[in-house]
Amino acid sequence: MSNPISSLDVRSLRKSFGTFEALKGIDLTVSHSELVFVLGPSGSGKSTMLRCCNRLEEPDSGDILLEGDPVTGRSVNLNAIRQRIGMVFQSFNLYPHLSALGNVTLALRRVRGMSRSDADAHGMDALAQVGLADKAGNYPAELSGGQQQRVAIARALALEPKVMLFDEPTSALDPELVGDVLEVMRDMRKAGMTMLVVSHEMKFARDAADRVIFMDQGQVVEQGPPEKIFGAPEHERTRAFLSRVSET
Amino acid sequence: MTQWERFLDTFFNVGVLTRYAPDILAGVWVTVQLSLLIVVVGIGLGTLLAMLRAYRIRLLSLSIVVFADVFRAIPPLVLILLAFFGLPNAGLFLSSFVVLFLVLTLTLAAFAEEIIWAGITSVDRGQWEAARSTGIGFTGTLVWVVMPQALRVAIPPMTNRAIAITKMTALGTVIGVPDILNQATTAQSFSGNASPLMLAAIAYVLLFLPLVILARWLESRFSWRKA
């Protein structure tokens, strides 16, 4: 956690939708190989913050840096920087007309300009990383939700990103399928991937996160190691949120 | 002559049928050529317009919408007559074949644009986001991710519309395109017998029935399974 340049740097990030201020100046740093977990009630701006990090949402002001390189700003080559930032969505968003391997290799072939054989070899590696090499030829409709999400992770991994963003990756899954996806995320952490995760998987946050950030009403309320956030939260809003969540 | 014999003589007069069958066959060839041209160019143009509309450039989109709405609103026969009898007065002479081709192609393009646009908008926003998040640009996402899904949704209504428009090649009769119906009506006036018209009807059935069956098959085949 003492790298001179952090992996992802978010500085005074602001974003409004009409009159609603979704992000009221967010500062956030993710170090190399760190798994940072973002918690917060719905509407707290955590997904918006995440989506600003690869500019699926355009921030109103503030800076975002990836390994010191600007992500925000007019002169940025957005498609180039996005290849260095992997994203996993709540609803998987696999391409239904392509096989698992086709999903994983599309960007390799169309953006990286890899030949089909190179892209396929690379894509198979990525699918193997999520334990789905045997499903390469299957279409999304033929896969379970958990398998679909793992293919989506492989799709992002294939581009060898510097940081991975997870937007509630297990929220759309049946409970019994959540474990496989979390297992893949644990493996990624062991492999040294830098990850920023928005999720409600408290147990996973507790045992896998390096740091937990609690957001509310467009602000970072507090952050720290999971044992502190879950064990001895400083702020009333954090305590209230955690007790609400643990009741359910 | 019994009623039945009179019926046969009117609609299935063997002498008249054999006499004019070659003319009708020539008409079939003209209709087939025209139909293929109209379908290929019309759907191609409609697809291109729908894709351009996806860029949401205000003036361009507005022009496309106006084109599509106008050409869907006007009966093709009106445009055919306007172009064939009106344009020469403005100094533009187009052959009847070209007029029929242009009017029906543009009409099909207008419908095709709307059908494919509906397909494009039916594709979930998450598809765009997923592709863009991997660094694929707008055009790449449109071509490789959105269009394959949009076209699949569009296939059944497109097939039906293409059949409806290509059948309108019969309208060419009024401006002298030597298509099936024109050959048949000519033969009917020369022979004073309705058999050529019956032959034309049979030719249309043979030509379009396979397409109608294909459309029915596509409709069941391509009802989209959501992933």
Side-chain angles (χ1 to χ4, degrees), chain B residues 38 41-47 49-50 67-68 71-72 103-115 158 161 165:
Chain B
I38 291 165
V41 181
I43 292 179
L45 181 62
T47 306
L49 290 176
F67 161 78
F71 272 83
R72 289 187 306 154
V103 168
L104 293 185
T105 296
L106 291 176
T107 305
L108 180 56
F111 280 100
E113 187 279 323
E114 284 301 307
I115 290 169
M158 189 70 85
R161 183 55 64 179
I165 301 281

Side-chain angles (χ1 to χ4, degrees), chain A residues 7-8 30 36 47 49-56 66-67 71 78-90 92-93 95 104 107 112 149 151-169 185 188 193-198, chain B residues 129-136:
Chain A
S7 186
L8 188 69
V30 184
V36 174
S47 278
M49 187 272 294
L50 200 72
R51 290 162 56 83
C52 281
C53 290
N54 68 353
R55 287 175 60 190
L56 281 182
L66 178 70
E67 301 191 305
V71 175
L78 194 54
N79 291 334
I81 202 91
R82 276 176 172 164
Q83 290 177 58
R84 296 163 62 192
I85 307 171
M87 180 136 188
V88 175
F89 301 86
Q90 178 176 357
F92 326 139
N93 299 344
Y95 315 132
V104 175
R112 290 276 166 87
Q149 191 60 299
V151 172
I153 292 173
R155 175 171 67 184
L157 280 179
L159 291 161
E160 291 165 343
K162 300 301 174 191
V163 61
M164 287 278 292
L165 310 174
F166 292 85
D167 190 3
E168 307 204 13
M185 290 170 71
M188 288 166 70
M193 178 58 75
T194 308
M195 297 192 265
L196 185 57
V197 183
V198 169
Chain B
E129 292 185 345
R132 298 306 305 275
S133 79
T134 58
I136 302 175

Side-chain angles (χ1 to χ4, degrees), chain A residues 20-23 40-48 168 200 215-219:
Chain A
F20 175 69
E21 232 185 332
L23 301 175
S42 63
S44 59
K46 52 196 194 311
S47 278
T48 304
E168 307 204 13
H200 297 295
M215 277 181 71
D216 193 18
Q217 294 171 17
Q219 289 169 314

Side-chain angles (χ1 to χ4, degrees), chain B residues 155-171:
Chain B
I155 281 173
M158 189 70 85
T159 315
N160 285 323
R161 183 55 64 179
I163 291 169
I165 301 281
T166 47
K167 271 196 309 194
M168 290 184 194
T169 49
L171 294 175

Side-chain angles (χ1 to χ4, degrees), chain A residues 67-200:
Chain A
E67 301 191 305
D69 300 330
V71 175
T72 45
R74 245 178 247 163
S75 58
V76 169
N77 181 341
L78 194 54
N79 291 334
I81 202 91
R82 276 176 172 164
Q83 290 177 58
R84 296 163 62 192
I85 307 171
M87 180 136 188
V88 175
F89 301 86
Q90 178 176 357
S91 48
F92 326 139
N93 299 344
L94 290 184
Y95 315 132
H97 61 297
L98 297 177
S99 66
L101 187 60
N103 268 272
V104 175
T105 55
L106 186 69
L108 296 176
R109 292 176 60 200
R110 302 300 170 195
V111 183
R112 290 276 166 87
M114 280 190 188
S115 69
R116 180 184 275 274
S117 58
D118 284 355
D120 283 355
H122 210 81
M124 287 306 293
D125 286 347
L127 283 173
Q129 277 185 65
V130 300
L132 287 176
D134 57 324
K135 299 286 183 191
N138 288 81
Y139 283 80
E142 301 162 350
L143 301 173
S144 74
Q147 289 170 335
Q148 288 187 51
Q149 191 60 299
R150 283 148 70 198
V151 172
I153 292 173
R155 175 171 67 184
L157 280 179
L159 291 161
E160 291 165 343
K162 300 301 174 191
V163 61
M164 287 278 292
L165 310 174
F166 292 85
D167 190 3
E168 307 204 13
T170 56
S171 301
L173 294 175
D174 292 335
E176 76 271 18
L177 301 175
V178 169
D180 292 345
V181 172
L182 296 183
E183 198 51 48
V184 168
M185 290 170 71
R186 268 197 196 91
D187 290 346
M188 288 166 70
R189 178 175 183 258
K190 274 185 217 138
M193 178 58 75
T194 308
M195 297 192 265
L196 185 57
V197 183
V198 169
S199 167
H200 297 295

